[in-house]
Amino acid sequence: MTIRPNWDVIGLRGTGSHDIVVSDVIVPEQWTLIRGGPATLDGPIYRYPSVAFAAQAHAIVGIGIARAAIDEVIAMAGSRASITGAPVMAERGYVQLEIAKAESMLRSARSFFYEATEELWKQALTGEVNLSATMQVRLAATNAARQGAEVCRISSGLAGTEALYTSSNLARAMCDSFVVAQHAALNEGTLQSAGLALLGTAIQPGFP
């Protein structure tokens, strides 16, 4: 087994998501699976849709990043003065408005995420999960990723030039959250597929 070091990206660099190459190895069939296919074992965790779970695992990272970004702005707002002589950030009206918007966006996305997760897990505990619950989880995950990225953009904008330095937590948050939102399981195409499902129209293969 060799690692192909091709994860050269602007954000989430620490995940080390390089390709792994295995050559000249025979894998027994019982150790293989079809991603998104029916489970071969019974139990709640095996009933939980694997693709939806993968989308959630990435999206919740974005929620955490966004939380840290807001907290970073709040921490600096009370003391960081402007070089132009303007009031500290906390006393500026636009900062007050934008931080309130960002907080409500993040909490709304987080609530939807956990509400959809709880409903799907209840179904996994009692029996077969249905299409509607799985679709809601995919939609909630995509929404969380996209809203998290927007919250980080707002937070970085409020910080001004402070967010431009490579050593800035906000610069890192913006890049990391952008990578989360760009993931194939969380991009804009999943919104279209969710819309098709909500409207009762045939959905794309592989969704939800």
Side-chain angles (χ1 to χ4, degrees):
M1 183 181 74
T2 59
I3 297 176
R4 182 180 294 158
N6 54 4
W7 185 245
D8 186 14
V9 291
I10 63 169
L12 294 184
R13 297 173 65 88
T15 64
S17 301
H18 306 296
D19 286 348
I20 297 176
V21 180
V22 180
S23 303
D24 302 321
V25 174
I26 297 176
V27 179
E29 186 176 353
Q30 61 267 30
W31 286 99
T32 66
L33 59 83
I34 298 174
R35 189 173 185 181
T40 55
L41 299 173
D42 192 25
I45 193 63
Y46 304 110
R47 298 185 199 118
Y48 203 95
S50 60
V51 176
F53 179 77
Q56 288 183 288
H58 289 86
I60 200 60
V61 172
I63 289 293
I65 293 168
R67 177 74 270 162
I70 292 178
D71 291 345
E72 183 84 9
V73 173
I74 291 174
M76 71 170 62
S79 59
R80 185 168 180 267
S82 170
I83 60 174
T84 64
V88 295
M89 290 174 61
E91 296 176 3
R92 303 174 201 171
Y94 75 92
V95 174
Q96 297 159 6
L97 288 172
E98 290 301 305
I99 206 69
K101 290 178 185 177
E103 183 73 23
S104 61
M105 287 169 58
L106 178 61
R107 288 183 177 269
S108 297
R110 187 179 185 277
S111 294
F112 180 22
F113 181 92
Y114 282 113
E115 177 187 311
T117 302
E118 184 176 356
E119 176 57 33
L120 188 56
W121 180 243
K122 284 180 179 177
Q123 291 188 12
L125 287 173
T126 57
E128 197 73 24
V129 300
N130 62 40
L131 175 65
S132 176
T134 307
M135 181 275 296
Q136 290 290 344
V137 163
R138 290 297 305 277
L139 179 58
T142 297
N143 180 65
R146 297 172 70 82
Q147 295 287 53
E150 178 62 14
V151 165
C152 289
R153 187 199 64 79
I154 291 172
S155 299
S156 298
L158 291 176
T161 55
E162 181 71 21
L164 300 179
Y165 294 93
T166 55
S167 60
S168 167
N169 290 333
L170 288 169
R172 186 163 57 250
M174 189 162 58
C175 290
D176 287 347
S177 65
F178 176 76
V179 172
V180 172
Q182 289 289 98
H183 193 277
L186 300 165
N187 63 25
E188 194 160 296
T190 62
L191 293 178
Q192 181 181 6
S193 295
L196 289 170
L198 286 166
L199 294 170
T201 307
I203 56 177
Q204 300 292 333
F207 187 90

